[in-house]
Amino acid sequence: MIRSQRSALAPNPRRLAGLLAAGAIGLALAAGSTAAMAQEAIVGLVTKTEVNPFFVKMRQAAEAEAKAKGLKLIARAGKFDGDNEGQVAAIEDLISAGAKGILITPNNSTGVLGAVKKARDAGILVIALDTATDPADAVDATFATDNFEAGVQQGQYARKALGDKAPKLAMLDGTPGGTVDTFRHDGFLKGFGIAEGDAVIVGKQNTNGAQDKGQTAMENLLSAHPDINVVYTINEPAAQGAYAAIRAAGKEEDIVVTSIDGGCLGVKYVKDGRVAATVMQFPYKMAQMGVDAVAEYAKSGKKPTGFVNTGSFLITGKPLPGLESKDLDFGEKNCWG
């Protein structure tokens, strides 16, 4: 009798194993749920290159803001300015990684549209920084400089700085297919007071916004047109290259060089007289606003829309009548890089 009571009270080995297994599964599910809740939302940043100071500053600002907002930043970039395939691959990687939002400076304003659509169809917030897509509503929103207006400021200064001299204009453009390049180029022409094809434009070359290509382009243009007296540059690295060629030709005093960016080296070039004026823009502001928008989307599902102008200012040590500008003190205090 006692033996049978003990047998009845003794735990069934199979039942005990089942209970332990169920408990282990429950604990694993609970742990997985806790880990998922604690996992940081991913924000992706895809820039044109890793080496341009503008995009370096953008990445640094995005990293700092993501950390402050409790997000995980994954930064990717094209191998060179114009590497559309590299940016498409980066977007696809971020989709696979489960990104909540993607911030991109498109190398080509139409070339990434397929990958962007795929991301948005997956519920990912996509924001263009610096460079608008074409069409603009291919992304949820764009945070950027009004590049046409920046070009207008640059062109107005360049024309006034020439005074009474008949202009012989060289244009060092960036990369074909990008809205930044088109807007700045067209804005400069408007500010300068001419139309595309005007005879005062003695030559144009693409530089991909790179210093070495800017120097080569300027050397070629000076060889063909030694009477050049004013130069449009797409950005400050191209302007630095152009100045190197101009200096080598002994024409520093004969040519007005203008640019756009507002990096600290660019402002120094203005201070040194190598560049007459530059238009400052704010890459860190674009990145911060983009990360903040992704954080808000992850929290509430709210999406930004449309174009947000992050601002620009003409910086020069030689202000000209009738043109609004900021001095070098402002430039040094607000430059980046």
Side-chain angles (χ1 to χ4, degrees):
M1 185 70 178
I2 295 173
R3 188 177 298 171
S4 65
Q5 285 177 339
R6 286 179 178 174
S7 177
L9 293 171
N12 184 309
R14 290 183 180 178
R15 184 169 180 270
L16 180 59
L19 289 170
L20 289 172
I25 292 171
L27 288 171
L29 289 173
S33 176
T34 301
M37 290 174 64
Q39 186 179 12
E40 298 170 309
I42 295 172
V43 53
L45 174 67
V46 183
T47 54
K48 294 180 182 181
T49 72
E50 290 182 326
V51 296
N52 186 306
F54 184 90
F55 301 119
V56 171
K57 186 61 181 181
M58 186 175 280
R59 183 173 66 248
Q60 292 171 345
E63 288 171 347
E65 193 70 6
K67 184 176 181 180
K69 294 292 183 179
L71 302 177
K72 178 182 179 181
L73 180 77
I74 298 178
R76 297 286 185 268
K79 294 179 181 178
F80 52 88
D81 195 325
D83 181 15
N84 190 68
E85 291 182 1
Q87 288 198 316
V88 169
I91 293 171
E92 291 175 346
D93 287 346
L94 289 166
I95 294 171
S96 298
K100 193 68 177 177
I102 296 174
L103 313 175
I104 179 167
T105 63
N107 267 311
N108 185 296
S109 294
T110 58
V112 296
L113 298 189
V116 167
K117 184 179 185 303
K118 184 176 179 181
R120 294 181 73 189
D121 288 347
I124 298 171
L125 175 68
V126 181
I127 297 173
L129 304 182
D130 177 58
T131 305
T133 53
D134 184 13
D137 62 2
V139 292
D140 291 289
T142 300
F143 300 159
T145 305
D146 183 336
N147 282 291
F148 184 84
E149 177 56 30
V152 168
Q153 294 177 70
Q154 184 186 8
Q156 288 175 334
Y157 188 91
R159 186 64 189 90
K160 284 209 168 197
L162 276 179
D164 296 331
K165 295 179 182 178
K168 300 290 184 181
L169 172 64
M171 302 194 74
L172 301 189
D173 290 308
T175 303
T179 54
V180 165
D181 308 83
T182 301
F183 291 160
R184 290 184 185 178
H185 178 102
D186 292 350
F188 181 91
L189 294 181
K190 180 177 177 62
F192 203 81
I194 59 175
E196 191 69 64
D198 194 295
V200 306
I201 305 171
V202 298
K204 297 184 291 184
Q205 287 202 13
N206 294 320
T207 67
N208 297 116
Q211 183 174 344
D212 58 341
K213 292 184 178 181
Q215 181 170 347
T216 300
M218 194 72 244
E219 288 169 350
N220 293 338
L221 289 167
L222 280 172
S223 177
H225 306 281
D227 57 347
I228 288 169
N229 59 11
V230 59
V231 180
Y232 158 85
T233 62
I234 182 67
N235 64 4
E236 288 168 357
Q240 292 165 29
Y243 178 79
I246 291 167
R247 183 179 180 182
K251 294 180 177 290
E252 303 101 305
E253 303 300 322
D254 305 325
I255 299 176
V256 175
V257 180
T258 60
S259 197
I260 297 178
D261 262 346
C264 292
L265 186 57
V267 172
K268 183 178 185 300
Y269 265 43
V270 174
K271 187 174 183 177
D272 293 346
R274 303 180 187 189
V275 174
T278 192
V279 181
M280 178 176 284
Q281 51 180 346
F282 303 96
Y284 54 87
K285 186 176 180 180
M286 299 175 199
Q288 289 169 347
M289 291 175 63
V291 171
D292 289 349
V294 174
E296 180 60 35
Y297 177 61
K299 178 182 176 182
S300 67
K302 182 179 178 181
K303 294 182 177 181
T305 58
F307 177 82
V308 178
N309 182 10
T310 51
S312 62
F313 294 101
L314 181 72
I315 307 295
T316 183
K318 297 178 180 179
L320 297 174
L323 293 181
E324 183 178 350
S325 63
K326 298 289 186 180
D327 61 18
L328 290 169
D329 184 56
F330 178 93
E332 290 175 332
K333 288 179 180 177
N334 291 276
C335 68
W336 43 266

